[in-house]
Amino acid sequence: IYYGNRAATLMMLGRFREALEDAQQSVRLDDSFVRGHLREGKCHLSLGNAMAASRCFQRVLELDHKNTQAQQELKNATTVLEYEKIAEVDFEKRDFRKVVFCMDRALEFAPACHRFKILKAECLALLGRYPEAQSVASDILRMDSTNADALYVRGLCLYYEDCIEKAVQFFVQALRMAPDHEKACLACRNAKALKAKKEDGNKAFKKGNYKLAYELYTEALGIDPNNIKTNAKLYCNRGTVNSKLRKLEEAIDDCTNAVKLDDTYVKAYLRRAQCYMDTEQYEDAVRDYEKVYQTEKTKEHKQLLKNAQVELKKSKRKDYYKILGVNKNASEDEIKKAYRKRALMHHPDRHSGASAEVQKEEEKKFKEVGEAFTILSDPKKKARYDSGQDLEEDGLNMGEFDPNNIFKAFFSGPGGFSFEASGPGNFFFQFG
């Protein structure tokens, strides 16, 4: 009775392992002591040993088949066993949410079971719920600082949060406590390999050996697909390498993979946005810069967004440089020569013998060439155009624009130009 009473007291204090020893001693002294068997069963169940608990409750029912408490506790033990089996299957299927659910239900009956808590914590870590996983593991370590499983879970959380050096320390400590801990051994090996490959890739990049850096980052990405944060950084690093190699579409793909893994990764958005700018995909660039500015409202990010918005606006209007066939640094003389060539090429009189559709198209191009020359030959208008400002503010209404006036002004006087017919639909150019 004394051992049984002390067992009950220890159970109230949550000291189930000590309570279990007293309860077992009580039934060793008297195998017919019903409360002793009942308390032993409850201790086993609280500690997560449902099979042993079931045997104890069955012994109580052998002594007292009407014992309702034993009947209920036996049902509880059976329920725990069922949750254990389901969790084991779901863990193999990598359905970690369901495992967490099963462990939460099992822990309602087995609140002192470290094994259930560790499995729950491991699954929380694999689900990316690191603070919750850390909390569970830390609670266990406060009670048992040598628990290898809890040390492993602490390391796993750090590993998945890209704190690889600290993670290795916990894995090593876990292996000291349990040298044959397979999960800690594998995680430690992966962590060291990942750290080494990433550092080698960074060194190669800094030396300008981009092809080697690309290979090393690619090898690092193959080490552990489950390490989302580290892999996001590796993808972004490889994207930077691809941008240096001018493989911009590949760089965009790498940065996209990075933000798929970590949608808060500002550096990847910035890198992808710059690649979008370089490939003139301005709408996509604006979207990425907006995402960045919403996350970090800095002056630098605001300016990057503004620049992208200007380029987007510019891209939606006519490209006068393209119309004239010159680059953006063309001189005044180059612009004039280009206009002369294009104006003669698209002048309506030259295409008077063509179909109505062709005439209409050439007339449109002739007008655009005149517009382009009007803007790019005027320093003020050119400056406004280059900066993305509205030209309408200068009073230039292209709807009322007459390209023939520009053509006449350009070709009139000495050295002038005229079209003369030499037959139906045939023309020759005559210069004064």
Side-chain angles (χ1 to χ4, degrees), residues 185-224:
C185 185
L186 176 62
C188 190
R189 188 163 63 245
N190 283 345
K192 287 179 178 179
L194 204 51
K195 182 174 181 288
K197 284 288 182 188
K198 185 181 177 185
E199 287 177 353
D200 288 345
N202 292 346
K203 287 175 185 175
F205 180 83
K206 287 176 182 176
K207 289 179 180 178
N209 192 342
Y210 300 129
K211 287 185 178 179
L212 177 59
Y214 178 89
E215 291 171 7
L216 289 165
Y217 289 140
T218 302
E219 289 172 14
L221 282 165
I223 292 172
D224 185 2

Side-chain angles (χ1 to χ4, degrees), residues 127 175 211 352-353 406 413:
L127 288 168
L175 289 167
K211 287 185 178 179
S352 59
I406 301 295

Side-chain angles (χ1 to χ4, degrees), residues 45-328:
L45 186 57
S46 293
L47 291 166
N49 192 344
M51 193 68 75
S54 296
R55 289 195 292 268
C56 293
F57 299 136
Q58 285 166 352
R59 176 61 181 150
V60 171
L61 292 172
E62 288 173 7
L63 296 168
D64 178 9
H65 70 276
K66 291 183 179 180
N67 192 304
T68 55
Q69 189 177 1
Q71 290 171 355
Q72 182 57 51
E73 293 293 353
L74 185 58
K75 287 181 182 178
N76 293 344
T78 303
T79 299
V80 170
L81 285 170
E82 287 174 358
Y83 279 128
E84 277 192 83
K85 289 177 184 177
I86 295 169
E88 186 179 348
V89 172
D90 288 328
F91 189 87
E92 290 298 318
K93 292 180 180 177
R94 299 185 67 81
D95 188 350
F96 302 126
R97 284 185 176 81
K98 197 168 179 185
V99 177
V100 171
F101 172 82
C102 288
M103 290 301 94
D104 279 337
R105 301 290 80 76
L107 283 164
E108 290 174 5
F109 304 108
C113 181
H114 286 180
R115 185 163 47 87
F116 293 168
K117 289 179 181 179
I118 287 294
L119 181 56
K120 175 185 174 180
E122 184 178 0
C123 289
L124 287 170
L126 292 167
L127 288 168
R129 293 160 63 178
Y130 307 120
E132 295 171 74
Q134 289 268 31
S135 177
V136 174
S138 296
D139 285 345
I140 293 171
L141 288 170
R142 272 193 288 273
M143 292 181 279
D144 178 9
S145 62
T146 64
N147 189 301
D149 291 323
L151 289 167
Y152 160 71
V153 170
R154 282 291 305 274
L156 196 65
C157 291
L158 291 164
Y159 172 63
Y160 284 144
E161 288 183 292
D162 197 41
C163 299
I164 295 179
E165 203 165 327
K166 287 184 180 179
V168 169
Q169 293 173 8
F170 275 97
F171 294 144
V172 169
Q173 197 175 346
L175 289 167
R176 283 201 198 103
M177 301 302 153
D180 58 347
H181 198 296
E182 291 182 8
K183 289 182 178 179
C185 185
L186 176 62
C188 190
R189 188 163 63 245
N190 283 345
K192 287 179 178 179
L194 204 51
K195 182 174 181 288
K197 284 288 182 188
K198 185 181 177 185
E199 287 177 353
D200 288 345
N202 292 346
K203 287 175 185 175
F205 180 83
K206 287 176 182 176
K207 289 179 180 178
N209 192 342
Y210 300 129
K211 287 185 178 179
L212 177 59
Y214 178 89
E215 291 171 7
L216 289 165
Y217 289 140
T218 302
E219 289 172 14
L221 282 165
I223 292 172
D224 185 2
N226 295 319
N227 195 323
I228 290 171
K229 282 209 170 183
T230 302
N231 287 343
K233 291 183 178 180
L234 288 168
Y235 271 120
C236 187
N237 287 358
R238 196 173 74 173
T240 304
V241 170
N242 274 323
S243 69
K244 291 289 186 182
L245 294 170
R246 303 311 295 167
K247 295 180 178 179
L248 297 178
E249 289 302 328
E250 289 91 335
I252 289 169
D253 289 342
D254 277 340
C255 293
T256 298
N257 284 326
V259 298
K260 279 180 182 176
L261 294 175
D262 182 2
D263 63 0
T264 65
Y265 193 10
V266 169
K267 188 177 178 180
Y269 283 111
L270 287 170
R271 172 60 56 196
R272 187 171 69 173
Q274 184 56 58
C275 291
Y276 281 140
M277 291 291 285
D278 293 341
T279 53
E280 298 184 2
Q281 300 178 64
Y282 299 120
E283 286 188 7
D284 292 322
V286 167
R287 186 171 61 249
D288 276 356
Y289 282 133
E290 283 176 340
K291 174 80 175 177
V292 169
Y293 187 62
Q294 287 169 4
T295 306
E296 296 181 0
K297 294 184 181 295
T298 66
K299 287 183 179 179
E300 181 186 357
H301 294 157
K302 186 177 182 180
Q303 188 59 48
L304 288 169
L305 174 58
K306 186 178 178 182
N307 293 344
Q309 289 170 332
V310 168
E311 291 302 321
L312 175 60
K313 183 179 178 182
K314 287 162 69 173
S315 72
K316 290 182 178 296
R317 63 188 184 177
K318 292 177 182 177
D319 187 340
Y320 289 137
Y321 291 103
K322 189 175 180 180
I323 289 169
L324 287 184
V326 296
N327 63 47
K328 294 182 180 181

